[in-house]
Amino acid sequence: MKDIKKILDERILILDGAMGTLIQKEDLSEDDFRGERFSNHSVPLMGNNDILSLSRPELISKIHSQYLHAGADIIETNTFNSNCISQVDYGTEDLVYELNKRGAELAVKVAGEFTAKTPSKPRFVAGVIGPTNRTASISPEVNKPEYRNITFDELVDDYMIGVQGLIDGGVDIILVETVFDALNCKAAVFAIAKVADSANIKVPVMISMTITDASGRTLTGQTPEAFLYSLQHTENLLSIGLNCGMGAKGLSQYLQDLSDISPYYLSCHPNAGLPNEFGGYDQTATEMASLVKSMALDGLINIAGGCCGTTPSHIEAICHALEGIFSRQVKKKDNCLYLSGLESLCVSDESNFINLANILDPATFVRSPILIKLLSSLTQRDS
């Protein structure tokens, strides 16, 4: 299969749209989610979309096919909630490995069939890792700010099960998406690295953050620039980008912020506008495609697709709208020191005096020649 990086240098790749939106359109019942295998399961399964990879695999394959027919180059596995933390609500946490492996196998099979028909347009499968419903950075209890209901190590252990399933299922890429907490994401990329290292393989990683409101920050308060700097240590990082959130119109300015600094490919798969009072999405395929086209013409994207509310019609319209538009030019890496908390900081040879006071937490650093030189001089001065 052709190297995805070479294709990304040639043209914008199309990611698929929302799996959940098409599942909802099926108006499934509890019996549909259970199927024969889970007919006697003690906990209701309705709403657990990931379980459909086991109980209704033909439906998931059909949805993958619809997005590939619409023009998608990359399809996402039906594994957004295939982790122990999310599955415990349904009493199916023991199925996490199987959910990821089967979800990957279904997507890989359909993608392979489409590639075989048109070898000049290879299709790729992105194994999806969702954020879970917990955050490692914020206390769920207002009166106990130090409290956490999940630890970094617990997240790593959970993610490793899913990653192993995705890799065993044959995915081409792993996509950590809808990230609202960089610490959760760090646990995911650490889990990916551990599994990949143990198997002696390299897996391209896509990371996509979500901006929660007009402040332009994640739920935990980071700007897009700070988020990028805090995750650029990721092994085999293919792309970074934005998804979900406020729709294409609301994300454009923040995508520009990332494009200005990112030495990686840039992705964007927004919602079909903002949800209406009933929780639905009203933005038409034509409207959304026009907004995504503007991003492409501004040189902001390498990978474009859709999130909540998007359908094959949206993806088809985006695909046609982006025909002939050049992919974003990736910036070259430099030797500057990049630090991040809630805000970002770049330290270069041109930087003025910087006062350091109790911020030397190794977890916040990206290794660079400037950092090594700085720490070396501090050590020599102390001795």
Side-chain angles (χ1 to χ4, degrees):
M1 181 175 287
K2 193 172 182 180
D3 185 355
I4 191 170
K5 289 185 178 181
K6 292 181 180 179
I7 303 176
L8 282 167
D9 288 335
E10 297 168 359
R11 64 182 178 89
I12 298 171
L13 289 186
I14 306 299
L15 190 67
D16 63 6
M19 172 69 69
T21 297
L22 295 197
I23 289 175
Q24 290 173 9
K25 288 180 180 294
E26 295 288 330
D27 195 24
L28 302 178
S29 66
E30 175 68 24
D31 288 340
D32 289 312
F33 281 88
R34 287 176 175 271
E36 292 184 13
R37 176 172 174 179
F38 303 104
S39 58
N40 296 319
H41 193 69
S42 60
V43 180
L45 294 176
M46 191 169 180
N48 185 4
N49 290 345
D50 296 27
I51 206 72
L52 294 170
S53 295
L54 304 180
S55 59
R56 290 288 304 276
E58 77 288 348
L59 171 60
I60 302 305
S61 294
K62 182 183 77 170
I63 292 173
H64 287 319
S65 293
Q66 288 176 319
Y67 280 121
L68 289 167
H69 272 299
D73 298 289
I74 306 171
I75 56 173
E76 303 169 67
T77 57
N78 180 39
T79 55
F80 186 81
N81 288 308
S82 293
N83 56 77
C84 295
I85 297 165
S86 300
Q87 290 298 315
V88 72
D89 293 339
Y90 300 98
T92 49
E93 63 272 25
D94 59 327
L95 298 176
V96 167
Y97 173 81
E98 185 180 2
L99 286 171
N100 282 278
K101 185 172 185 289
R102 186 57 177 152
E105 289 172 342
L106 292 172
V108 168
K109 182 175 185 298
V110 178
E113 292 170 353
F114 275 77
T115 298
K117 294 176 184 177
T118 53
S120 62
K121 180 182 166 70
R123 275 63 163 201
F124 300 91
V125 174
V128 170
I129 296 178
T132 81
N133 55 12
R134 299 188 183 185
T135 167
S137 296
I138 299 176
S139 172
E141 297 188 20
V142 175
N143 296 322
K144 296 177 65 178
E146 79 286 356
Y147 174 69
R148 301 290 183 272
N149 60 2
I150 193 73
T151 67
F152 182 86
D153 288 341
E154 287 171 338
L155 282 167
V156 171
D157 291 342
D158 191 353
Y159 280 135
M160 284 184 68
I161 300 171
V163 171
Q164 189 67 65
L166 292 171
I167 290 176
D168 290 348
V171 300
D172 304 296
I173 308 158
I174 292 185
L175 167 58
V176 187
E177 69 167 334
T178 322
V179 179
F180 57 79
D181 181 350
L183 192 55
N184 282 43
C185 190
K186 282 176 178 284
V189 299
F190 185 49
I192 295 167
K194 289 186 70 174
V195 174
D197 287 348
S198 66
N200 196 28
I201 60 174
K202 292 184 178 181
V203 183
V205 178
M206 296 175 62
I207 296 176
S208 184
M209 65 176 282
T210 186
I211 291 173
T212 54
D213 56 39
S215 70
R217 296 173 182 266
T218 63
L219 181 66
T220 51
Q222 277 192 310
T223 64
E225 299 97 321
F227 180 82
L228 185 151
Y229 292 157
S230 64
L231 268 304
Q232 65 177 354
H233 67 282
T234 302
E235 292 184 20
N236 301 306
L237 181 56
L238 177 70
S239 71
I240 198 151
L242 303 169
N243 78 286
C244 203
M246 301 171 290
K249 186 175 182 180
L251 293 181
S252 181
Q253 61 180 310
Y254 307 116
L255 200 64
Q256 179 69 66
D257 293 340
L258 282 175
S259 182
D260 289 342
I261 62 172
S262 177
Y264 309 99
Y265 297 107
L266 217 58
S267 70
C268 186
H269 54 295
N271 295 340
L274 293 171
N276 58 34
E277 60 270 25
F278 303 107
Y281 293 84
D282 301 322
Q283 190 172 76
T284 67
T286 301
E287 291 170 339
M288 184 176 182
S290 177
L291 292 168
V292 175
K293 182 178 181 179
S294 294
M295 292 179 180
L297 290 173
D298 288 339
L300 300 183
I301 49 178
N302 303 104
I303 301 170
C307 200
C308 303
T310 57
T311 66
S313 295
H314 289 83
I315 299 307
E316 184 175 15
I318 290 172
C319 185
H320 289 316
L322 300 187
E323 286 181 0
I325 300 178
F326 291 111
S327 188
R328 166 184 169 270
Q329 296 250 317
V330 178
K331 293 189 174 297
K332 293 183 179 180
K333 291 185 178 181
D334 54 40
N335 289 323
C336 295
L337 164 64
Y338 296 103
L339 307 177
S340 65
L342 298 184
E343 308 284 343
S344 61
L345 174 65
C346 171
V347 183
S348 67
D349 291 334
E350 290 75 36
S351 297
N352 291 324
F353 174 78
I354 296 175
N355 185 23
L356 300 179
N358 297 324
I359 65 166
L360 297 182
D361 178 2
T364 66
F365 287 125
V366 178
R367 288 182 62 86
S368 75
I370 292 177
L371 173 60
I372 295 170
K373 182 178 178 181
L374 174 63
L375 293 180
S376 176
S377 64
L378 289 175
T379 303
Q380 293 172 2
R381 187 178 302 172
D382 289 341
S383 61

